Amino acid sequence: MDWREVTIYTTTEGIGPVEALLEDNGVEGYVLEDAADFEEFLKDTEIYWDYVDEDLVREKRAQETCLKIYLPDSDEGAKQYADIRAALENLKARDEEHAWGRLCTETALTRQEDWEWGWKQYFKPFPVGKGFMIKPSWETVEDPQGRRILEIDPASSFGTGSHDTTQLCMMALEDAVKPGDKLLDMGTGSGILAIAAAMLGADVQTIVDIDENCLKTAHENAEKIMSRSAEVCAAMHCATRSSPRTSAAATT
């Protein structure tokens, strides 16, 4: 699905009324760019910075406060956008002192694949801990230096292995896991920790996530590793569980 990015221009004083308008029209999240934030930053430069680039100051002072929302690029999204524009016109009519700014909108199309795959160009193979080498499927490793290759394609799930928390968990697994240890992965994301544990010989029985897309991604990553490693194939015989909210489950 593609998305329509809608930018609503207002003022710092208008943020509250626009927030209420969006909530009334079913919009629960937004990106806020408040021009007043930069002015606050400038007041504190003596504490944090010795110098602020003059071009940056001019650019930021010319910035207009705005809220950005994302609506589906569909008939339903078009109707929601029309309702929001009508509500903005009503809000503008009530703003007798013109304190809430222009209250007009600009739109741009954002493609789903731009969000999902734009990061791929930055995902390169890298070592983790004493014995792992993490790589995406589209990269090759000429010399793994004796490390286990953990191939991962996170899609939109958390878990490329680049985050410090993931790496610390993998290092802890290297120290703690013994062959045959049973493992439950709560919040599996891309499945990277469950797969790493299986590569170390753990008996991975269940992985859990509130996002069914994560479970699908974790399964796909595990299957790729299992197809190349009999050791991992024996260790990964897990059931997947989604959140009780969706009450869906799949078993391998």
Side-chain angles (χ1 to χ4, degrees):
M1 177 187 294
D2 293 337
W3 299 86
R4 185 200 298 260
E5 180 187 77
V6 179
T7 303
I8 303 171
Y9 292 101
T10 182
T11 61
T12 299
E13 293 77 9
I15 291 172
V18 174
E19 285 176 332
L21 178 154
L22 293 175
E23 185 175 350
D24 289 343
N25 283 273
V27 178
E28 297 179 352
Y30 56 85
V31 177
L32 173 61
E33 297 178 4
D34 186 356
D37 289 343
F38 187 68
E39 291 301 325
E40 285 295 321
F41 164 79
L42 289 177
K43 291 177 184 177
D44 294 332
T45 52
E46 292 183 3
I47 301 175
Y48 300 109
W49 311 102
D50 295 323
Y51 171 76
V52 179
D53 184 80
E54 291 180 2
D55 290 339
L56 177 64
V57 172
R58 282 194 294 269
E59 177 188 340
K60 291 297 184 181
R61 279 188 163 153
Q63 177 180 304
E64 193 172 359
T65 295
C66 65
L67 290 83
K68 293 183 179 180
I69 61 173
Y70 294 87
L71 305 175
D73 186 34
S74 63
D75 291 343
E76 179 183 351
K79 181 181 182 307
Q80 191 175 16
Y81 177 52
D83 291 342
I84 289 170
R85 289 191 63 185
L88 284 169
E89 288 299 321
N90 291 333
L91 190 62
K92 188 185 295 188
R94 289 166 40 205
D95 182 22
E96 296 178 357
E97 297 181 1
H98 307 290
W100 300 337
R102 293 191 292 145
L103 297 175
C104 64
T105 64
E106 288 182 1
T107 65
L109 184 65
T110 301
R111 300 195 177 279
Q112 182 79 15
E113 56 265 27
D114 293 341
W115 284 354
E116 290 187 347
W117 303 115
W119 51 269
K120 290 177 72 171
Q121 60 184 309
Y122 306 107
F123 189 6
K124 304 293 183 183
F126 58 94
V128 174
K130 298 177 231 178
F132 284 108
M133 177 72 72
I134 296 176
K135 67 174 285 294
S137 61
W138 57 89
E139 293 283 343
T140 58
V141 176
E142 299 297 335
D143 179 15
Q145 302 172 346
R147 291 173 174 268
R148 298 179 176 92
I149 297 290
L150 198 168
E151 186 174 291
I152 201 83
D153 288 341
S156 58
S157 304
F158 181 84
T160 61
S162 60
H163 199 276
D164 290 343
T165 56
T166 307
Q167 293 188 20
L168 287 169
C169 286
M170 290 180 69
M171 293 162 68
L173 288 171
E174 284 183 312
D175 292 336
V177 168
K178 300 179 181 61
D181 284 352
K182 289 182 171 56
L183 184 130
L184 163 68
D185 186 1
M186 295 290 294
T188 193
S190 67
I192 186 171
L193 294 178
I195 294 168
M199 294 174 76
L200 294 168
D203 178 9
V204 183
Q205 297 196 344
T206 304
I207 60 176
V208 180
D209 205 288
I210 63 172
D211 187 340
E212 290 190 54
N213 287 328
C214 288
L215 298 179
K216 179 176 179 290
T217 298
H219 259 298
E220 290 171 351
N221 285 320
E223 286 168 358
K224 281 188 292 189
I225 297 284
M226 285 160 52
S227 67
R228 294 191 297 272
S229 170
E231 178 186 38
V232 175
C233 186
M236 290 286 290
H237 51 82
C238 60
T240 60
R241 295 289 183 268
S242 63
S243 152
R245 286 184 302 179
T246 56
S247 67
T251 306
T252 59

